[in-house]
Amino acid sequence: MFDFDKIIERKSDKCRKWDHAFVCSRFGNVPEDFIPLWIADMDFTSPPAVIDGFQRIVSHGTFGYTWCFDEFYDAVIGFQRERHHVSVERSWITLTYGTVSTLHYTVQAFCKPGDSVMMNTPVYDPFAMATERQGVQVLANPLRVEDNRYHLDFELMEAQFKAHQPKLYFFCSPHNPSGRIWSVAEIRQVSDLCQRYGVILVIDEVHAEHILDGQFVSCLSTGAAALDNLIVLTSPNKAFNLGGLKTSYSMIPDDKLRQRFRQQLEKNSITSPNIFGVWGIILAYQHGLPWLDELNVYLRNNALYLADAIKTHFPHWKMMTPESSYLAWVDISQDDRSASELTQHFAQKAGVVIEDGSHYVQNGENYLRFNFGTQRHWLEQSIERMLTHYK
């Protein structure tokens, strides 16, 4: 029904992923015909229902100030109920200007300089940026690798809670960059520790819609996280390729936490939404699920292709099974070259732009991250180029 193999010309978008000048500023002298497999931005057009809705708004021709009207809340509540089988109350929901900026506001709201924020490493680098830019310390809790899969170290976690008394715990569920889906038991154990030591649990569920292997459990599910110290951050941006709209939302069940959070948003004048952002959420959540379901089948096949290609052609590398998202996390510790050396080599010699794991706060130095949220054609071309220039 939807053609995900269709090549989309993206350089005219001026998107960071495909812009030659921008990519060169990050990766050095990259060939003009490069293939970008780096930033978490898919190369597919958004669902037709979203595009059609935007065209109606553009045709109408007025782009004035708007607000969070009933349809926005109804869309979020309905989507969370249908997709993740959780009951969300309207009062819990607060619209924000993107998850990354919301991490910053959250640290501002609940921390002061000298405090600390726990996070499992390696992890999405803006977790650390949001922390350190407020004069707050990163408390890294390294993930353990067993059978090429990440696991939480609860014993170390509790010792760190006791010793450092962090104010917040930034928990990525599913995990970025590996795609690991945490079980309800794991989420509950994290929540119990946070309650025991008076830590606010901030859960990023942005990658929850692309489920490739297993079943996602929302922290709002029965038996998962406690609700009295919980802040959930999510958006449709990764799921429906709407990242440039910079629109997201939080779900905070506790009245006192929510009030303090909203006060900080008001201090930063986060008050009314982008008209395309709020309608993007509504259109995607109400009409985009058939597209999303087909896309996930395509992404699953891309993941299988990439895993087989790496196993066949780069036997010293080990790709973790991406249980969610469209990002592959590949251990290259047995290679003769470091991840940063390989990244530079492939970008400048093969024109294949990938990221090395040193950007993911800590403990990712021996990994590469591939974005397979693209047409199969580009994946196949990338493997061919990498093979040609590997030695």
Side-chain angles (χ1 to χ4, degrees), residues 72-116:
F72 160 69
Y73 294 103
D74 292 344
V76 170
I77 292 168
F79 179 82
Q80 292 293 332
R81 180 180 60 246
E82 181 174 348
R83 200 70 179 176
H84 301 309
H85 314 294
V86 296
S87 296
V88 175
E89 296 182 15
R90 176 181 171 131
S91 63
W92 299 0
I93 304 166
T94 305
L95 186 136
T96 53
Y97 294 175
T99 302
V100 170
S101 61
T102 307
L103 291 168
H104 286 70
Y105 308 140
T106 303
V107 176
Q108 293 169 7
F110 297 101
C111 298
K112 62 182 185 299
D115 287 339
S116 63

Side-chain angles (χ1 to χ4, degrees), residues 5 14 21 33 37 61 66 97 101 107 110 158 267 329 341:
D5 280 318
K14 291 296 181 183
D33 64 344
L37 302 181
T66 187
Y97 294 175
S101 61
V107 176
F110 297 101
E158 183 161 18
K267 289 179 182 178
W329 193 237
E341 289 172 332

Side-chain angles (χ1 to χ4, degrees), residues 180-225:
R180 168 73 149 87
I181 297 175
W182 307 112
S183 69
V184 65
E186 289 168 318
I187 295 170
R188 183 73 230 183
Q189 196 165 349
V190 168
S191 176
D192 288 346
L193 284 171
C194 286
Q195 281 200 305
R196 189 180 310 162
Y197 292 98
V199 180
I200 299 170
L201 179 55
V202 182
I203 300 188
D204 173 354
E205 292 192 348
V206 165
H207 288 276
E209 318 314 337
H210 298 304
I211 303 303
L212 311 182
D213 185 17
Q215 183 172 354
F216 170 73
V217 178
S218 171
C219 63
L220 294 169
S221 300
T222 301

